[in-house]
């Protein structure tokens, strides 16, 4: 099925002689265009789940299907290609490259996937305009407010026209008013593009604005 699926995914971290079963046989499907909140206490493993769902980290067992394509048996090169072509990621901290301007931060991922500089530049300018930063394109991250930095991070996540957006507490680092605005922007964009989205948040009010909530605790969806 299209969208994003986890099929019997498990992940255990070993810390000395202790084993931490962060994901314990987790399965779920997110339909194309569905917007799902991931809620769970701190340390529950939300970041780990998003990294695994986003093909940034490998599970010990199970499969991640992106738009119906299984990733379990892909070699590293093909898994990376699948991730770059289908998944956008927004982190709690913007993770923008500090030496580059906003527009360059949105251009770079496109050049990595092979677009010409001219095409990448046009798309980056369009995306930054969409997120309300038409007059901030040449600013470096340190010259932008926290909300603006996250807007750039959102534009960057959409740079390669993904079909799936994963976000890890994307507004967790912002004051409540800014968080609300950035979250609205993110939801509007996700809906207008028809993206499939899984967004971890601590904020139950924000979670209510999504289509469905996944509660994650003790390594399980509950
Ligand atoms: P959340 O995002 O819900 O706060 P995380 O996914 O960050 O949870 O972490 C879940 C648990 O896994 C935590 O106890 C954390 O310390 C542990 N953990 C995360 N990454 C690693 C790692 N690379 N090695 C060992 N333990 C880890
Ligand atoms: P906030 O009130 O959201 O914390 P700031 O006070 O950090 O925002 O910034 C206010 C505005 O000034 C922002 O729009 C930002 O783009 C701009 N700005 C902040 N620092 C610089 C800088 N060093 N150079 C250029 N513009 C800046």
């Amino acid at each position: 099925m299209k969208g994003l699926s986890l099929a019997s995914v498990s992940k255990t971290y070993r810390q000395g002689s202790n084993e931490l079963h962060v994901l314990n046989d987790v399965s779920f499907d997110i339909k194309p265009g569905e917007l799902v909140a991931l809620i769970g206490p701190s340390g529950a493993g939300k970041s780990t789940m998003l990294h695994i769902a986003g093909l940034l980290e490998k599970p010990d067992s199970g499969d991640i299907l992106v738009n119906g394509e299984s990733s379990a048996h892909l070699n590293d090169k093909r898994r990376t290609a699948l991730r770059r072509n289908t998944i956008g990621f927004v982190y709690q901290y913007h993770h923008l490259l500090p030496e580059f301007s906003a527009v360059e931060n949105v251009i770079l991922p496109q050049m990595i996937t092979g677009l010409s500089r001219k095409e990448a530049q046009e798309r980056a300018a369009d995306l930054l305009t969409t997120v309300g930063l038409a007059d901030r394109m040449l600013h470096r991250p340190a010259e932008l407010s926290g909300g603006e930095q996250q807007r750039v991070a959102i534009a960057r996540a959409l740079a390669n026209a993904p079909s799936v957006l994963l976000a890890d507490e994307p507004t967790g680092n912002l004051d409540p008013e800014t968080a609300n605005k950035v979250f609205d922007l993110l939801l509007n964009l996700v809906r207008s593009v028809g993206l499939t989205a899984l967004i971890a948040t601590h904020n139950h009010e924000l979670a209510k604005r999504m289509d469905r909530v996944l509660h994650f605790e003790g390594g399980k969806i509950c």
Side-chain angles (χ1 to χ4, degrees), residues 197-209:
L198 180 61
I199 303 178
T201 177
H202 271 116
N203 187 323
H204 290 255
E205 290 305 312
L206 297 181
K208 277 190 211 154
R209 293 200 227 152

Side-chain angles (χ1 to χ4, degrees), residues 24 64 68 104 116 138 159 185:
N24 193 354
I64 297 96
E104 286 165 335
S116 73
L138 301 179
L185 169 84

Side-chain angles (χ1 to χ4, degrees), residues 136 139 143-145 148:
R136 293 283 187 275
H139 287 49
E143 300 164 346
L144 298 169
S145 71
E148 290 170 337

Side-chain angles (χ1 to χ4, degrees), residues 13 15 20 22 41-49 168:
Y13 287 126
Q15 294 163 320
L20 188 62
V22 183
S42 191
K46 300 181 298 297
S47 298
T48 303
M49 186 201 283
D168 192 356

Side-chain angles (χ1 to χ4, degrees), residues 6-157:
L6 264 65
S8 300
V9 170
S10 294
K11 180 79 181 180
T12 299
Y13 287 126
R14 281 171 193 85
Q15 294 163 320
S17 56
N18 290 330
E19 289 196 337
L20 188 62
H21 301 286
V22 183
L23 274 79
N24 193 354
D25 196 21
V26 171
S27 299
F28 59 79
D29 296 309
I30 304 181
K31 294 195 282 283
E34 197 181 17
L35 199 46
V36 176
L38 181 62
I39 290 250
S42 191
K46 300 181 298 297
S47 298
T48 303
M49 186 201 283
L50 288 169
H51 284 131
I52 287 176
L55 309 181
L56 291 162
E57 189 172 342
K58 281 189 205 173
D60 298 329
S61 58
D63 196 4
I64 297 96
L65 294 102
V66 186
N67 294 328
E69 183 170 351
S70 163
S71 64
H73 302 292
L74 299 179
N75 62 28
D76 287 351
K77 195 176 165 195
R78 294 189 61 195
R79 187 182 313 99
T80 300
L82 178 62
R83 170 167 55 76
R84 286 189 179 143
N85 290 321
T86 57
I87 296 171
F89 217 103
V90 181
Y91 302 87
Q92 176 169 4
Y93 301 97
H94 56 79
H95 287 306
L96 299 170
L97 298 171
E99 298 304 322
F100 291 91
S101 68
V103 75
E104 286 165 335
N105 267 281
V106 184
I107 287 172
L108 282 169
Q110 302 178 73
M111 296 195 64
I112 288 169
T113 55
L115 250 76
S116 73
R117 178 152 192 107
K118 186 167 176 293
E119 287 171 303
Q121 198 144 10
E122 281 173 11
R123 181 161 170 84
D126 284 349
L127 281 166
L128 286 170
T129 302
T130 303
V131 299
L133 294 179
D135 56 354
R136 293 283 187 275
M137 294 199 204
L138 301 179
H139 287 49
R140 290 184 188 185
E143 300 164 346
L144 298 169
S145 71
E148 290 170 337
Q149 290 166 348
Q150 281 307 72
R151 286 169 191 262
V152 179
I154 290 168
R156 178 187 55 186

